Amino acid sequence: MKKILLTLMATASMAASALAADVKPALIYDLGGKFDKSFNEAAFNGAEKFKAETGIEYREFEIANDAQREQALRKFAGDGNNPIVVAGFSWAAALEKVAAEYPDTKFSIIDMVVAGKPNIKSIVFKEQEGSYLAGIMAAMSAKSDKVGFVGGMDIPLIHKFACGYVGGVKSVKPNAEVFQAYTGSDPSAWNDPVKGGEITKSQISQGADVVYHAAGGTGVGVLQAAAEGGKLGIGVDSNQNGLQPGKVLTSMLKRVDVAVYNSFMDAKNDKFVADIQNLGVKEDGVGVALDDNNKALVSPEMLAAVDKAKADIIAGTIQVHDYMSDEKCPY
């Protein structure tokens, strides 16, 4: 009996090893660079966590332009990488095309729904909910009734952040003014910290006390300009509180790291499902960052207001409007 048990254990161990060996994960970043301190870097952190926990290496690639999307996907799929995670909505067209050519390869896309494909998992976020929480904090810490928002690319997804933020601000100060501006209409908008800084200075000159960005690498300039102007910034996607310690009110966390980690891990454990995940406050997919860098800026009243809003969002008594549902912002 002992011999049979040992044989079964050895077989199970070999099967697990074979399954792990079959997993050759890959991650391809969006424009803006791997170390953008924001969206791409969050994806990188998720892949690194997977590697640290499993010992399984992953491949990665930073594209330099849109023309490389199909090439990179086809190269990784052709080399047998599986699963392949692509970070960013701009991957959708190339992914649909290449995924059809490699039906046995599992793909995940973050920030876009590619529905009805048997080998594509789509992971999107309720950014409006996390931005609503950030808006509450901005309004409560602003000395005036004016705050700012700097977006990267002028697209509906980024308006989704802005609209949620406005909703949160106005839940505290109904007559507040929220300045909004975007750094561009093409992918270079994600990596222009100089322009981000200029827009922030302009909003501060109009009276904004707090400026929230959803602008990728551009946001580094937003946070710097806010700090230099004696005002507060709000980071996005990754925890950016440490970029300007004591000058960043909070960061709207979007758990891109968890999306990458789970995609890799699900494939490793043979639990990968080609579904659509929409992660909000309830799923711990979005939230606000609290740490030693910003604790002096966050009052107990602010914490209580955020906790109440989170509970109300989960209960459904607060329904934060999703700009992408109708491309309108009612706040």
Side-chain angles (χ1 to χ4, degrees):
M1 183 70 185
K2 188 177 179 183
K3 190 174 181 181
I4 293 169
L5 188 60
L6 285 170
T7 304
L8 285 170
M9 287 170 67
T11 304
S13 176
M14 285 168 64
S17 297
L19 191 62
D22 286 340
V23 175
K24 293 172 63 180
L27 171 62
I28 317 180
Y29 304 100
D30 210 347
L31 293 166
K34 176 168 72 172
F35 295 119
D36 61 358
K37 306 294 183 191
S38 189
F39 179 82
N40 284 318
E41 195 157 335
F44 165 74
N45 289 336
E48 284 290 296
K49 182 184 178 192
F50 172 82
K51 184 173 81 169
E53 288 186 11
T54 64
I56 298 171
E57 296 287 336
Y58 66 95
R59 285 178 75 190
E60 60 181 350
F61 185 66
E62 296 178 69
I63 59 167
N65 54 61
D66 283 323
Q68 291 183 321
R69 294 187 191 276
E70 267 189 52
Q71 297 168 10
L73 275 169
R74 206 168 271 114
K75 169 69 175 163
F76 277 21
D79 287 349
N81 286 103
N82 192 6
I84 299 171
V85 178
V86 290
F89 61 89
S90 297
W91 283 98
L95 178 60
E96 259 191 280
K97 191 171 181 180
V98 176
E101 298 168 14
Y102 293 90
D104 296 328
T105 302
K106 300 174 178 70
F107 298 88
S108 287
I109 181 169
I110 300 169
D111 265 4
M112 178 59 79
V113 173
V114 179
K117 306 297 177 183
N119 58 336
I120 299 178
K121 176 192 284 290
S122 300
I123 305 163
V124 292
F125 295 86
K126 297 175 184 175
E127 294 94 349
Q128 72 275 16
E129 294 182 355
S131 298
Y132 186 92
L133 303 179
I136 289 172
M137 295 178 71
M140 290 183 75
S141 83
K143 296 178 178 65
S144 71
D145 283 351
K146 295 176 181 179
V147 297
F149 173 84
V150 180
M153 238 175 128
D154 189 355
I155 50 172
L157 174 64
I158 304 303
H159 284 269
K160 188 178 177 185
F161 287 81
C163 184
Y165 178 62
V166 173
V169 169
K170 296 209 169 190
S171 74
V172 177
K173 294 181 174 176
N175 297 318
E177 190 172 357
V178 183
F179 306 119
Q180 296 181 46
Y182 298 80
T183 51
S185 55
D186 62 54
S188 67
W190 304 120
N191 200 19
D192 194 345
V194 172
K195 190 167 183 182
E198 289 169 354
I199 293 171
T200 304
K201 288 173 188 172
S202 170
Q203 293 185 348
I204 290 171
S205 73
Q206 294 174 74
D209 284 334
V210 184
V211 181
Y212 171 38
H213 88 84
T218 296
V220 174
V222 173
L223 299 180
Q224 184 178 343
E228 289 174 354
K231 306 300 181 183
L232 294 174
I234 296 178
V236 81
D237 294 345
S238 297
N239 183 350
Q240 299 185 318
N241 295 356
L243 292 183
Q244 300 287 339
K247 299 292 185 181
V248 179
L249 176 60
T250 189
S251 296
M252 198 289 276
L253 296 176
K254 176 170 155 180
R255 301 308 302 273
V256 176
D257 56 334
V258 174
V260 173
Y261 172 86
N262 286 348
S263 290
F264 283 5
M265 197 61 86
D266 286 351
K268 175 187 174 293
N269 295 330
D270 203 23
K271 292 180 178 176
F272 187 96
V273 178
D275 58 1
I276 298 168
Q277 297 182 355
N278 192 5
L279 309 178
V281 166
K282 184 177 182 179
E283 298 79 17
D284 202 24
V286 295
V288 285
L290 300 167
D291 60 19
D292 287 344
N293 291 306
N294 72 335
K295 65 181 181 183
L297 303 171
V298 181
S299 66
E301 293 79 12
M302 213 181 286
L303 278 177
V306 167
D307 286 343
K308 183 179 188 309
K310 284 166 75 171
D312 287 345
I313 289 169
I314 291 167
T317 48
I318 290 177
Q319 294 186 359
V320 186
H321 184 74
D322 178 359
Y323 179 89
M324 292 182 74
S325 67
D326 59 3
E327 298 203 2
K328 293 177 183 173
C329 189
Y331 303 115

